[in-house]
Amino acid sequence: MYFENKTLENITAGQELLVSVMEKNGLECHGGWDYDRMTFDKRFDLREGRYYLRVFCSAISGDVGNRSAVLKINKPALGKYYYPHGVEYDEDEVFPVHLVKECEEILENVKKDFASFGIEA
């Protein structure tokens, strides 16, 4: 499930600021990067299963490896983890309503944090 119209898409920020804002909101990048992109995750273990809120970012300049990148936020997604295949973002998946609401709140807080630095989409 992709979050549409959250106005996070196309926010651009330096890598250090981006990491700081994401971590403040519980989104972490544990090895989810290569030289031209980063992925931030928040894991949810619920009775219904394991889910991940993912925020995908791509470098528009610089290098993620040496922490000099300027990154653009792409469309965030919510996926369900299926062993042994991994995370699926199937549009037909039924996600718990409380989880979707919590993810929307997290994304709104990320947006507000960037706005406090004068950064908007």
PDB file of all heavy atoms in Angstrom, residues 65-95:
ATOM      1  N   GLY A  65      27.374   6.839   0.514  1.00  0.00           N
ATOM      2  CA  GLY A  65      28.459   6.148   1.209  1.00  0.00           C
ATOM      3  C   GLY A  65      29.376   7.063   1.993  1.00  0.00           C
ATOM      4  O   GLY A  65      29.864   6.702   3.067  1.00  0.00           O
ATOM      5  N   ASN A  66      29.639   8.257   1.492  1.00  0.00           N
ATOM      6  CA  ASN A  66      30.498   9.174   2.247  1.00  0.00           C
ATOM      7  C   ASN A  66      29.688  10.281   2.918  1.00  0.00           C
ATOM      8  O   ASN A  66      30.238  11.303   3.316  1.00  0.00           O
ATOM      9  CB  ASN A  66      31.625   9.739   1.373  1.00  0.00           C
ATOM     10  CG  ASN A  66      31.138  10.642   0.274  1.00  0.00           C
ATOM     11  OD1 ASN A  66      30.038  11.158   0.326  1.00  0.00           O
ATOM     12  ND2 ASN A  66      31.967  10.857  -0.733  1.00  0.00           N
ATOM     13  N   ARG A  67      28.377  10.067   3.041  1.00  0.00           N
ATOM     14  CA  ARG A  67      27.455  10.958   3.762  1.00  0.00           C
ATOM     15  C   ARG A  67      27.389  12.376   3.195  1.00  0.00           C
ATOM     16  O   ARG A  67      27.190  13.332   3.928  1.00  0.00           O
ATOM     17  CB  ARG A  67      27.814  10.989   5.243  1.00  0.00           C
ATOM     18  CG  ARG A  67      27.681   9.632   5.898  1.00  0.00           C
ATOM     19  CD  ARG A  67      27.903   9.720   7.388  1.00  0.00           C
ATOM     20  NE  ARG A  67      27.667   8.429   7.980  1.00  0.00           N
ATOM     21  CZ  ARG A  67      28.631   7.650   8.460  1.00  0.00           C
ATOM     22  NH1 ARG A  67      29.881   8.038   8.405  1.00  0.00           N
ATOM     23  NH2 ARG A  67      28.321   6.498   8.993  1.00  0.00           N
ATOM     24  N   SER A  68      27.556  12.491   1.895  1.00  0.00           N
ATOM     25  CA  SER A  68      27.500  13.809   1.264  1.00  0.00           C
ATOM     26  C   SER A  68      26.290  13.972   0.354  1.00  0.00           C
ATOM     27  O   SER A  68      26.207  14.934  -0.395  1.00  0.00           O
ATOM     28  CB  SER A  68      28.772  14.031   0.433  1.00  0.00           C
ATOM     29  OG  SER A  68      28.791  13.150  -0.674  1.00  0.00           O
ATOM     30  N   ALA A  69      25.349  13.058   0.428  1.00  0.00           N
ATOM     31  CA  ALA A  69      24.223  13.057  -0.515  1.00  0.00           C
ATOM     32  C   ALA A  69      23.154  14.079  -0.154  1.00  0.00           C
ATOM     33  O   ALA A  69      22.937  14.397   1.014  1.00  0.00           O
ATOM     34  CB  ALA A  69      23.594  11.667  -0.569  1.00  0.00           C
ATOM     35  N   VAL A  70      22.499  14.562  -1.186  1.00  0.00           N
ATOM     36  CA  VAL A  70      21.232  15.264  -1.062  1.00  0.00           C
ATOM     37  C   VAL A  70      20.206  14.273  -1.605  1.00  0.00           C
ATOM     38  O   VAL A  70      20.354  13.774  -2.721  1.00  0.00           O
ATOM     39  CB  VAL A  70      21.221  16.580  -1.868  1.00  0.00           C
ATOM     40  CG1 VAL A  70      19.836  17.197  -1.861  1.00  0.00           C
ATOM     41  CG2 VAL A  70      22.259  17.548  -1.320  1.00  0.00           C
ATOM     42  N   LEU A  71      19.207  13.968  -0.786  1.00  0.00           N
ATOM     43  CA  LEU A  71      18.245  12.927  -1.141  1.00  0.00           C
ATOM     44  C   LEU A  71      16.848  13.485  -1.318  1.00  0.00           C
ATOM     45  O   LEU A  71      16.458  14.452  -0.666  1.00  0.00           O
ATOM     46  CB  LEU A  71      18.229  11.846  -0.061  1.00  0.00           C
ATOM     47  CG  LEU A  71      19.540  11.076   0.049  1.00  0.00           C
ATOM     48  CD1 LEU A  71      20.068  11.141   1.446  1.00  0.00           C
ATOM     49  CD2 LEU A  71      19.350   9.655  -0.403  1.00  0.00           C
ATOM     50  N   LYS A  72      16.097  12.833  -2.202  1.00  0.00           N
ATOM     51  CA  LYS A  72      14.698  13.169  -2.453  1.00  0.00           C
ATOM     52  C   LYS A  72      13.846  12.029  -1.908  1.00  0.00           C
ATOM     53  O   LYS A  72      14.125  10.854  -2.152  1.00  0.00           O
ATOM     54  CB  LYS A  72      14.447  13.318  -3.953  1.00  0.00           C
ATOM     55  CG  LYS A  72      13.008  13.619  -4.305  1.00  0.00           C
ATOM     56  CD  LYS A  72      12.814  13.724  -5.796  1.00  0.00           C
ATOM     57  CE  LYS A  72      12.669  12.333  -6.337  1.00  0.00           C
ATOM     58  NZ  LYS A  72      12.140  12.238  -7.680  1.00  0.00           N
ATOM     59  N   ILE A  73      12.805  12.386  -1.169  1.00  0.00           N
ATOM     60  CA  ILE A  73      11.893  11.373  -0.635  1.00  0.00           C
ATOM     61  C   ILE A  73      10.934  10.942  -1.735  1.00  0.00           C
ATOM     62  O   ILE A  73      10.352  11.773  -2.430  1.00  0.00           O
ATOM     63  CB  ILE A  73      11.116  11.914   0.580  1.00  0.00           C
ATOM     64  CG1 ILE A  73      12.087  12.260   1.716  1.00  0.00           C
ATOM     65  CG2 ILE A  73      10.078  10.891   1.048  1.00  0.00           C
ATOM     66  CD1 ILE A  73      11.439  12.880   2.930  1.00  0.00           C
ATOM     67  N   ASN A  74      10.783   9.636  -1.872  1.00  0.00           N
ATOM     68  CA  ASN A  74       9.831   9.064  -2.821  1.00  0.00           C
ATOM     69  C   ASN A  74       8.560   8.648  -2.071  1.00  0.00           C
ATOM     70  O   ASN A  74       8.446   8.864  -0.877  1.00  0.00           O
ATOM     71  CB  ASN A  74      10.467   7.879  -3.543  1.00  0.00           C
ATOM     72  CG  ASN A  74      11.707   8.295  -4.305  1.00  0.00           C
ATOM     73  OD1 ASN A  74      11.727   9.325  -4.970  1.00  0.00           O
ATOM     74  ND2 ASN A  74      12.768   7.517  -4.191  1.00  0.00           N
ATOM     75  N   LYS A  75       7.636   8.036  -2.745  1.00  0.00           N
ATOM     76  CA  LYS A  75       6.349   7.665  -2.166  1.00  0.00           C
ATOM     77  C   LYS A  75       6.526   6.628  -1.047  1.00  0.00           C
ATOM     78  O   LYS A  75       7.060   5.552  -1.289  1.00  0.00           O
ATOM     79  CB  LYS A  75       5.457   7.100  -3.264  1.00  0.00           C
ATOM     80  CG  LYS A  75       4.006   7.044  -2.907  1.00  0.00           C
ATOM     81  CD  LYS A  75       3.155   6.482  -4.012  1.00  0.00           C
ATOM     82  CE  LYS A  75       3.328   7.242  -5.305  1.00  0.00           C
ATOM     83  NZ  LYS A  75       2.459   6.760  -6.360  1.00  0.00           N
ATOM     84  N   PRO A  76       6.066   6.938   0.184  1.00  0.00           N
ATOM     85  CA  PRO A  76       6.155   5.971   1.292  1.00  0.00           C
ATOM     86  C   PRO A  76       5.198   4.797   1.061  1.00  0.00           C
ATOM     87  O   PRO A  76       4.188   4.929   0.371  1.00  0.00           O
ATOM     88  CB  PRO A  76       5.731   6.772   2.520  1.00  0.00           C
ATOM     89  CG  PRO A  76       5.754   8.197   2.105  1.00  0.00           C
ATOM     90  CD  PRO A  76       5.550   8.219   0.626  1.00  0.00           C
ATOM     91  N   ALA A  77       5.522   3.669   1.692  1.00  0.00           N
ATOM     92  CA  ALA A  77       4.700   2.472   1.524  1.00  0.00           C
ATOM     93  C   ALA A  77       4.552   1.724   2.843  1.00  0.00           C
ATOM     94  O   ALA A  77       5.402   1.819   3.730  1.00  0.00           O
ATOM     95  CB  ALA A  77       5.330   1.549   0.487  1.00  0.00           C
ATOM     96  N   LEU A  78       3.475   0.971   2.931  1.00  0.00           N
ATOM     97  CA  LEU A  78       3.247   0.062   4.041  1.00  0.00           C
ATOM     98  C   LEU A  78       3.167  -1.331   3.446  1.00  0.00           C
ATOM     99  O   LEU A  78       2.416  -1.562   2.501  1.00  0.00           O
ATOM    100  CB  LEU A  78       1.944   0.415   4.772  1.00  0.00           C
ATOM    101  CG  LEU A  78       1.553  -0.477   5.944  1.00  0.00           C
ATOM    102  CD1 LEU A  78       2.612  -0.427   7.052  1.00  0.00           C
ATOM    103  CD2 LEU A  78       0.195  -0.057   6.500  1.00  0.00           C
ATOM    104  N   GLY A  79       3.972  -2.240   3.987  1.00  0.00           N
ATOM    105  CA  GLY A  79       3.985  -3.596   3.469  1.00  0.00           C
ATOM    106  C   GLY A  79       3.871  -4.619   4.573  1.00  0.00           C
ATOM    107  O   GLY A  79       4.173  -4.343   5.735  1.00  0.00           O
ATOM    108  N   LYS A  80       3.429  -5.803   4.198  1.00  0.00           N
ATOM    109  CA  LYS A  80       3.329  -6.918   5.142  1.00  0.00           C
ATOM    110  C   LYS A  80       4.452  -7.902   4.852  1.00  0.00           C
ATOM    111  O   LYS A  80       4.757  -8.196   3.701  1.00  0.00           O
ATOM    112  CB  LYS A  80       1.978  -7.611   5.020  1.00  0.00           C
ATOM    113  CG  LYS A  80       1.801  -8.698   6.065  1.00  0.00           C
ATOM    114  CD  LYS A  80       0.397  -9.237   6.114  1.00  0.00           C
ATOM    115  CE  LYS A  80       0.287 -10.254   7.242  1.00  0.00           C
ATOM    116  NZ  LYS A  80      -1.050 -10.814   7.340  1.00  0.00           N
ATOM    117  N   TYR A  81       5.054  -8.394   5.927  1.00  0.00           N
ATOM    118  CA  TYR A  81       6.159  -9.342   5.813  1.00  0.00           C
ATOM    119  C   TYR A  81       5.611 -10.760   5.723  1.00  0.00           C
ATOM    120  O   TYR A  81       4.780 -11.166   6.531  1.00  0.00           O
ATOM    121  CB  TYR A  81       7.087  -9.216   7.026  1.00  0.00           C
ATOM    122  CG  TYR A  81       8.210 -10.206   7.012  1.00  0.00           C
ATOM    123  CD1 TYR A  81       9.316  -9.994   6.208  1.00  0.00           C
ATOM    124  CD2 TYR A  81       8.156 -11.357   7.782  1.00  0.00           C
ATOM    125  CE1 TYR A  81      10.364 -10.904   6.184  1.00  0.00           C
ATOM    126  CE2 TYR A  81       9.198 -12.279   7.760  1.00  0.00           C
ATOM    127  CZ  TYR A  81      10.288 -12.041   6.956  1.00  0.00           C
ATOM    128  OH  TYR A  81      11.316 -12.950   6.933  1.00  0.00           O
ATOM    129  N   TYR A  82       6.098 -11.480   4.715  1.00  0.00           N
ATOM    130  CA  TYR A  82       5.747 -12.886   4.533  1.00  0.00           C
ATOM    131  C   TYR A  82       7.024 -13.700   4.510  1.00  0.00           C
ATOM    132  O   TYR A  82       7.897 -13.459   3.674  1.00  0.00           O
ATOM    133  CB  TYR A  82       4.986 -13.106   3.216  1.00  0.00           C
ATOM    134  CG  TYR A  82       3.608 -12.524   3.219  1.00  0.00           C
ATOM    135  CD1 TYR A  82       3.353 -11.277   2.676  1.00  0.00           C
ATOM    136  CD2 TYR A  82       2.549 -13.227   3.776  1.00  0.00           C
ATOM    137  CE1 TYR A  82       2.085 -10.736   2.667  1.00  0.00           C
ATOM    138  CE2 TYR A  82       1.272 -12.700   3.777  1.00  0.00           C
ATOM    139  CZ  TYR A  82       1.046 -11.455   3.219  1.00  0.00           C
ATOM    140  OH  TYR A  82      -0.208 -10.925   3.223  1.00  0.00           O
ATOM    141  N   TYR A  83       7.133 -14.641   5.433  1.00  0.00           N
ATOM    142  CA  TYR A  83       8.304 -15.523   5.455  1.00  0.00           C
ATOM    143  C   TYR A  83       8.123 -16.583   4.394  1.00  0.00           C
ATOM    144  O   TYR A  83       7.040 -17.139   4.277  1.00  0.00           O
ATOM    145  CB  TYR A  83       8.445 -16.169   6.836  1.00  0.00           C
ATOM    146  CG  TYR A  83       9.604 -17.118   6.908  1.00  0.00           C
ATOM    147  CD1 TYR A  83      10.876 -16.638   7.159  1.00  0.00           C
ATOM    148  CD2 TYR A  83       9.425 -18.481   6.696  1.00  0.00           C
ATOM    149  CE1 TYR A  83      11.954 -17.504   7.207  1.00  0.00           C
ATOM    150  CE2 TYR A  83      10.496 -19.336   6.738  1.00  0.00           C
ATOM    151  CZ  TYR A  83      11.757 -18.854   6.996  1.00  0.00           C
ATOM    152  OH  TYR A  83      12.830 -19.705   7.034  1.00  0.00           O
ATOM    153  N   PRO A  84       9.105 -16.928   3.631  1.00  0.00           N
ATOM    154  CA  PRO A  84      10.483 -16.441   3.520  1.00  0.00           C
ATOM    155  C   PRO A  84      10.655 -15.422   2.399  1.00  0.00           C
ATOM    156  O   PRO A  84      11.762 -15.095   2.015  1.00  0.00           O
ATOM    157  CB  PRO A  84      11.260 -17.710   3.187  1.00  0.00           C
ATOM    158  CG  PRO A  84      10.318 -18.478   2.296  1.00  0.00           C
ATOM    159  CD  PRO A  84       8.930 -18.166   2.841  1.00  0.00           C
ATOM    160  N   HIS A  85       9.566 -14.890   1.864  1.00  0.00           N
ATOM    161  CA  HIS A  85       9.639 -14.046   0.668  1.00  0.00           C
ATOM    162  C   HIS A  85      10.025 -12.597   0.945  1.00  0.00           C
ATOM    163  O   HIS A  85      10.603 -11.940   0.090  1.00  0.00           O
ATOM    164  CB  HIS A  85       8.308 -14.097  -0.087  1.00  0.00           C
ATOM    165  CG  HIS A  85       7.895 -15.478  -0.438  1.00  0.00           C
ATOM    166  ND1 HIS A  85       8.555 -16.235  -1.378  1.00  0.00           N
ATOM    167  CD2 HIS A  85       6.917 -16.276   0.050  1.00  0.00           C
ATOM    168  CE1 HIS A  85       7.995 -17.429  -1.461  1.00  0.00           C
ATOM    169  NE2 HIS A  85       6.998 -17.482  -0.604  1.00  0.00           N
ATOM    170  N   GLY A  86       9.658 -12.064   2.080  1.00  0.00           N
ATOM    171  CA  GLY A  86       9.984 -10.682   2.394  1.00  0.00           C
ATOM    172  C   GLY A  86       8.738  -9.818   2.440  1.00  0.00           C
ATOM    173  O   GLY A  86       7.626 -10.300   2.642  1.00  0.00           O
ATOM    174  N   VAL A  87       8.935  -8.537   2.260  1.00  0.00           N
ATOM    175  CA  VAL A  87       7.849  -7.561   2.388  1.00  0.00           C
ATOM    176  C   VAL A  87       7.120  -7.402   1.059  1.00  0.00           C
ATOM    177  O   VAL A  87       7.738  -7.205   0.025  1.00  0.00           O
ATOM    178  CB  VAL A  87       8.400  -6.193   2.859  1.00  0.00           C
ATOM    179  CG1 VAL A  87       7.274  -5.176   2.991  1.00  0.00           C
ATOM    180  CG2 VAL A  87       9.140  -6.341   4.183  1.00  0.00           C
ATOM    181  N   GLU A  88       5.797  -7.497   1.121  1.00  0.00           N
ATOM    182  CA  GLU A  88       4.948  -7.327  -0.053  1.00  0.00           C
ATOM    183  C   GLU A  88       4.115  -6.062   0.124  1.00  0.00           C
ATOM    184  O   GLU A  88       3.599  -5.789   1.204  1.00  0.00           O
ATOM    185  CB  GLU A  88       4.005  -8.523  -0.210  1.00  0.00           C
ATOM    186  CG  GLU A  88       4.709  -9.841  -0.428  1.00  0.00           C
ATOM    187  CD  GLU A  88       5.290  -9.988  -1.824  1.00  0.00           C
ATOM    188  OE1 GLU A  88       4.780  -9.321  -2.740  1.00  0.00           O
ATOM    189  OE2 GLU A  88       6.241 -10.759  -1.980  1.00  0.00           O
ATOM    190  N   TYR A  89       3.965  -5.308  -0.953  1.00  0.00           N
ATOM    191  CA  TYR A  89       3.199  -4.062  -0.937  1.00  0.00           C
ATOM    192  C   TYR A  89       1.917  -4.203  -1.740  1.00  0.00           C
ATOM    193  O   TYR A  89       1.463  -3.260  -2.379  1.00  0.00           O
ATOM    194  CB  TYR A  89       4.041  -2.915  -1.520  1.00  0.00           C
ATOM    195  CG  TYR A  89       5.376  -2.784  -0.849  1.00  0.00           C
ATOM    196  CD1 TYR A  89       6.525  -3.259  -1.467  1.00  0.00           C
ATOM    197  CD2 TYR A  89       5.491  -2.199   0.397  1.00  0.00           C
ATOM    198  CE1 TYR A  89       7.754  -3.147  -0.848  1.00  0.00           C
ATOM    199  CE2 TYR A  89       6.721  -2.083   1.029  1.00  0.00           C
ATOM    200  CZ  TYR A  89       7.849  -2.557   0.398  1.00  0.00           C
ATOM    201  OH  TYR A  89       9.058  -2.453   1.014  1.00  0.00           O
ATOM    202  N   ASP A  90       1.315  -5.353  -1.697  1.00  0.00           N
ATOM    203  CA  ASP A  90       0.150  -5.674  -2.509  1.00  0.00           C
ATOM    204  C   ASP A  90      -1.010  -4.718  -2.216  1.00  0.00           C
ATOM    205  O   ASP A  90      -1.397  -4.522  -1.068  1.00  0.00           O
ATOM    206  CB  ASP A  90      -0.276  -7.111  -2.233  1.00  0.00           C
ATOM    207  CG  ASP A  90      -1.335  -7.612  -3.187  1.00  0.00           C
ATOM    208  OD1 ASP A  90      -1.767  -6.846  -4.073  1.00  0.00           O
ATOM    209  OD2 ASP A  90      -1.733  -8.774  -3.044  1.00  0.00           O
ATOM    210  N   GLU A  91      -1.555  -4.145  -3.253  1.00  0.00           N
ATOM    211  CA  GLU A  91      -2.686  -3.220  -3.114  1.00  0.00           C
ATOM    212  C   GLU A  91      -3.938  -3.937  -2.613  1.00  0.00           C
ATOM    213  O   GLU A  91      -4.850  -3.297  -2.087  1.00  0.00           O
ATOM    214  CB  GLU A  91      -2.977  -2.539  -4.457  1.00  0.00           C
ATOM    215  CG  GLU A  91      -1.894  -1.584  -4.899  1.00  0.00           C
ATOM    216  CD  GLU A  91      -1.713  -0.394  -3.958  1.00  0.00           C
ATOM    217  OE1 GLU A  91      -2.711   0.111  -3.409  1.00  0.00           O
ATOM    218  OE2 GLU A  91      -0.560   0.017  -3.778  1.00  0.00           O
ATOM    219  N   ASP A  92      -4.013  -5.259  -2.771  1.00  0.00           N
ATOM    220  CA  ASP A  92      -5.185  -6.015  -2.331  1.00  0.00           C
ATOM    221  C   ASP A  92      -5.110  -6.416  -0.864  1.00  0.00           C
ATOM    222  O   ASP A  92      -6.080  -6.926  -0.311  1.00  0.00           O
ATOM    223  CB  ASP A  92      -5.362  -7.272  -3.187  1.00  0.00           C
ATOM    224  CG  ASP A  92      -5.660  -6.935  -4.640  1.00  0.00           C
ATOM    225  OD1 ASP A  92      -6.298  -5.883  -4.881  1.00  0.00           O
ATOM    226  OD2 ASP A  92      -5.255  -7.707  -5.528  1.00  0.00           O
ATOM    227  N   GLU A  93      -3.962  -6.200  -0.230  1.00  0.00           N
ATOM    228  CA  GLU A  93      -3.783  -6.529   1.184  1.00  0.00           C
ATOM    229  C   GLU A  93      -4.707  -5.654   2.031  1.00  0.00           C
ATOM    230  O   GLU A  93      -4.884  -4.465   1.753  1.00  0.00           O
ATOM    231  CB  GLU A  93      -2.330  -6.286   1.598  1.00  0.00           C
ATOM    232  CG  GLU A  93      -2.015  -6.669   3.016  1.00  0.00           C
ATOM    233  CD  GLU A  93      -1.970  -8.164   3.231  1.00  0.00           C
ATOM    234  OE1 GLU A  93      -1.320  -8.861   2.429  1.00  0.00           O
ATOM    235  OE2 GLU A  93      -2.581  -8.630   4.202  1.00  0.00           O
ATOM    236  N   VAL A  94      -5.292  -6.247   3.052  1.00  0.00           N
ATOM    237  CA  VAL A  94      -6.123  -5.496   3.992  1.00  0.00           C
ATOM    238  C   VAL A  94      -5.258  -5.193   5.213  1.00  0.00           C
ATOM    239  O   VAL A  94      -4.838  -6.102   5.922  1.00  0.00           O
ATOM    240  CB  VAL A  94      -7.381  -6.288   4.398  1.00  0.00           C
ATOM    241  CG1 VAL A  94      -8.190  -5.524   5.430  1.00  0.00           C
ATOM    242  CG2 VAL A  94      -8.226  -6.608   3.174  1.00  0.00           C
ATOM    243  N   PHE A  95      -4.991  -3.904   5.428  1.00  0.00           N
ATOM    244  CA  PHE A  95      -4.146  -3.493   6.541  1.00  0.00           C
ATOM    245  C   PHE A  95      -5.020  -3.065   7.710  1.00  0.00           C
ATOM    246  O   PHE A  95      -6.080  -2.454   7.506  1.00  0.00           O
ATOM    247  CB  PHE A  95      -3.243  -2.330   6.117  1.00  0.00           C
ATOM    248  CG  PHE A  95      -2.219  -2.724   5.099  1.00  0.00           C
ATOM    249  CD1 PHE A  95      -2.462  -2.530   3.748  1.00  0.00           C
ATOM    250  CD2 PHE A  95      -1.013  -3.298   5.479  1.00  0.00           C
ATOM    251  CE1 PHE A  95      -1.523  -2.898   2.799  1.00  0.00           C
ATOM    252  CE2 PHE A  95      -0.074  -3.665   4.543  1.00  0.00           C
ATOM    253  CZ  PHE A  95      -0.323  -3.473   3.202  1.00  0.00           C
TER     254      PHE A  95
END
